[in-house]
Amino acid sequence: MSITPIIPGDEEEPIYNRLFWLCYLANVMLVTANAITFRFADLVTYLGGTEELVGDIVSCGLFVALIARFFLGQGIDRYGVRLLWALSAVIFVVGAGGMTLCRSLGWEIFALRMCFATGIAGMFTCSVVHIQQKVPHHRRTEVIGSLGSSGFVGMILGTQTSDWMLHSFAPGNAQFYALFGIPAFLGLCYFAIVMYVTRNDIHLRPRVTPAAHQLLFRYWPGQVVVVAIMMGLSFTVISVFLTRFVSQKDLGGIGTFFAGYAVSAFIIRIVTRRWGETVGRNKMITLGLMGHAIGHTILPSITQEWQLIGPSILCGFGHALLFPAVVSLGTESFPSHYRGTGTTIVLGFFDGGAIIFAPILGSIIDRWGFTPMFYTSAFVMTLTATVYTLTANHSLSKDIAVPQQQELSVSLEETLEKGVPQEVATQCTQRG
């Protein structure tokens, strides 16, 4: 893990310091850049592709990003967040910048989408790993959620900017120069911030850095991985295919939906930032899944742009609750010195959901239209919520009043990883 002198030592010390807000600004830039490129499906159809081809390109990009995650996590554990974070930003700039000039549906667009997706995966993962290392264990859910609220700001800025570009630039190449050129520039700004906030980091490499698949089986996160896959499904619906739905029904731009989505998610995230300790993360997951499911069910009936606000609020509600709960629960089983790999594994299941469902949803649209696609996603989300609710342990005992026990468990695990006999390690942790 990486260590800096400003790590809070207890709950009383501030976690919303200068470092946090610089990371917040960087995340706003990243999500703004990503949201601008939600028009990627428009680029593919402009070049003569189908909805199914859009799904195939997106799926291929995410598949490569998923493979990269397995090496990314081990790389973070070995070499530290700084190096992998900066490298991810460079890869993102290459992908976004390349799509600025790409005007064919050959292998180039597949390769550039792979760079784009891999860069985003690395940037998001490193930011979450970095911020988790700066706060007490029992406030991780809160700070993940707080940092994640920056994404909603970026989502509004990005989608509003993309709508403005489509209206301001002549149809054709000029639009896509802007839609992918600006994200590349923001990626460069992001890189500069990363280099600044990590300039004092000192990396302490663990004695052993197992491969990701070994850690996955050893510290299996449990059924929360299915929820992570559902998040990938939901985000595929709204970030890839919703733009095509809006265009087909001539509803204006996607800015209205994502403004409602982001404002809703931002407010809910702030209001519920301590729900992990008061309501419980499993209940947050159930409510979040149903928010997405109901929102997707309403979307097919939309006939006017303002009606997008209703489902956008529901989907934003779902996102606000799901992300911090899933990441916190999913990474909890991993020791802190393997938190880099643990985070990449959990976020990798988000990509896994998109890999599985992007081509399926695209094929449904080509054959039967958008309505069956929305109903399919809503049904799958509802089924998952039902099964999870019936099988998950909804006790609050693991979410509240146990920070000291968790810290002792982590200390014991880390001591054992260093090769100290278990009896000695247990005595040491009991004494101190």
Side-chain angles (χ1 to χ4, degrees):
M1 59 182 176
S2 299
I3 303 175
T4 65
I6 60 174
I7 300 176
D10 54 58
E11 188 178 6
E12 300 304 319
E13 296 186 37
I15 63 175
Y16 301 110
N17 50 25
R18 184 183 181 188
L19 173 64
F20 174 85
W21 291 113
L22 283 171
C23 291
Y24 195 95
L25 174 61
N27 215 43
V28 169
M29 289 182 177
L30 173 57
V31 178
T32 299
N34 187 36
I36 291 174
T37 65
F38 285 175
R39 293 285 182 177
F40 177 75
D42 290 335
L43 172 62
V44 175
T45 53
Y46 169 72
L47 296 176
T50 64
E51 308 296 344
E52 187 171 3
L53 180 61
V54 173
D56 290 340
I57 296 173
V58 171
S59 182
C60 286
L62 290 173
F63 179 76
V64 172
L66 180 60
I67 298 300
R69 283 188 187 277
F70 283 88
F71 297 98
L72 173 67
Q74 193 173 24
I76 292 174
D77 294 335
R78 285 185 178 182
Y79 306 112
V81 173
R82 177 182 171 86
L83 176 61
L84 275 298
W85 205 355
L87 180 60
S88 298
V90 171
I91 294 173
F92 171 84
V93 171
V94 171
M99 283 189 283
T100 303
L101 304 175
C102 185
R103 291 298 176 268
S104 70
L105 295 176
W107 64 269
E108 297 92 344
I109 197 168
F110 282 85
L112 291 169
R113 185 72 191 189
M114 291 173 189
C115 289
F116 178 84
T118 301
I120 287 181
M123 293 156 83
F124 274 124
T125 299
C126 289
S127 65
V128 173
V129 172
H130 185 259
I131 204 66
Q132 284 187 90
Q133 293 171 349
K134 308 300 183 232
V135 298
H137 182 83
H138 57 287
R139 298 193 70 181
R140 288 194 302 113
T141 303
E142 176 190 351
V143 79
I144 291 171
S146 298
L147 179 65
S149 68
S150 63
F152 308 131
V153 177
M155 195 174 292
I156 293 176
L157 294 175
T159 52
Q160 294 291 338
T161 300
S162 69
D163 283 351
W164 173 80
M165 289 177 182
L166 289 181
H167 289 98
S168 300
F169 292 90
N173 289 335
Q175 292 179 336
F176 298 108
Y177 291 148
L179 286 171
F180 294 98
I182 290 180
F185 172 75
L186 290 174
L188 291 173
C189 297
Y190 183 97
F191 173 82
I193 294 177
V194 168
M195 298 306 294
Y196 179 78
V197 300
T198 60
R199 68 193 186 283
N200 294 324
D201 279 14
I202 301 172
H203 179 64
L204 301 178
R205 177 175 175 174
R207 185 176 63 88
V208 180
T209 54
H213 69 278
Q214 295 175 324
L215 291 175
L216 175 61
F217 290 118
R218 183 175 179 182
Y219 303 107
W220 178 251
Q223 63 199 109
V224 73
V225 301
V226 180
V227 182
I229 291 173
M230 290 302 102
M231 291 189 67
L233 161 64
S234 179
F235 206 67
T236 299
V237 171
I238 64 172
S239 67
V240 178
F241 296 115
L242 181 64
T243 60
R244 301 297 306 139
F245 171 74
V246 170
S247 298
Q248 186 186 80
K249 300 196 74 171
D250 195 24
L251 296 176
I254 59 174
T256 299
F257 177 88
F258 283 102
Y261 185 102
V263 171
S264 167
F266 185 90
I267 294 174
I268 295 298
R269 180 68 59 79
I270 298 302
V271 171
T272 65
R273 65 187 183 277
R274 302 303 292 266
W275 272 23
E277 302 173 31
T278 58
V279 174
R281 291 171 290 184
N282 286 317
K283 291 182 180 178
M284 291 172 66
I285 286 174
T286 300
L287 292 171
L289 287 170
M290 290 311 302
H292 279 294
I294 297 172
H296 292 187
T297 303
I298 296 174
L299 278 169
S301 63
I302 299 301
T303 58
Q304 300 181 50
E305 184 177 356
W306 68 267
Q307 294 174 339
L308 290 167
I309 296 175
S312 74
I313 291 175
L314 289 166
C315 292
F317 170 83
H319 186 126
L321 296 184
L322 282 176
F323 186 81
V326 170
V327 173
S328 179
L329 272 173
T331 59
E332 190 171 76
S333 61
F334 295 86
S336 60
H337 53 293
Y338 294 140
R339 192 63 47 73
T341 300
T343 303
T344 62
I345 288 173
V346 174
L347 296 180
F349 283 106
F350 294 2
D351 291 344
I355 292 169
I356 294 169
F357 288 103
I360 294 175
L361 297 177
S363 179
I364 291 174
I365 294 170
D366 285 337
R367 288 167 173 77
W368 299 292
F370 285 96
T371 297
M373 183 273 292
F374 285 123
Y375 286 155
T376 297
S377 64
F379 172 77
V380 174
M381 299 282 282
T382 302
L383 179 62
T384 302
T386 302
V387 174
Y388 188 88
T389 301
L390 295 175
T391 58
N393 175 15
H394 290 269
S395 172
L396 281 175
S397 60
K398 65 186 299 183
D399 294 328
I400 58 175
V402 290
Q404 184 176 10
Q405 180 182 351
Q406 291 170 336
E407 291 170 3
L408 289 175
S409 298
V410 170
S411 298
L412 176 59
E413 179 68 30
E414 292 178 342
T415 305
L416 292 174
E417 290 288 345
K418 294 177 181 178
V420 178
Q422 183 171 358
E423 294 80 3
V424 176
T426 302
Q427 293 175 4
C428 292
T429 52
Q430 287 175 345
R431 293 174 183 172

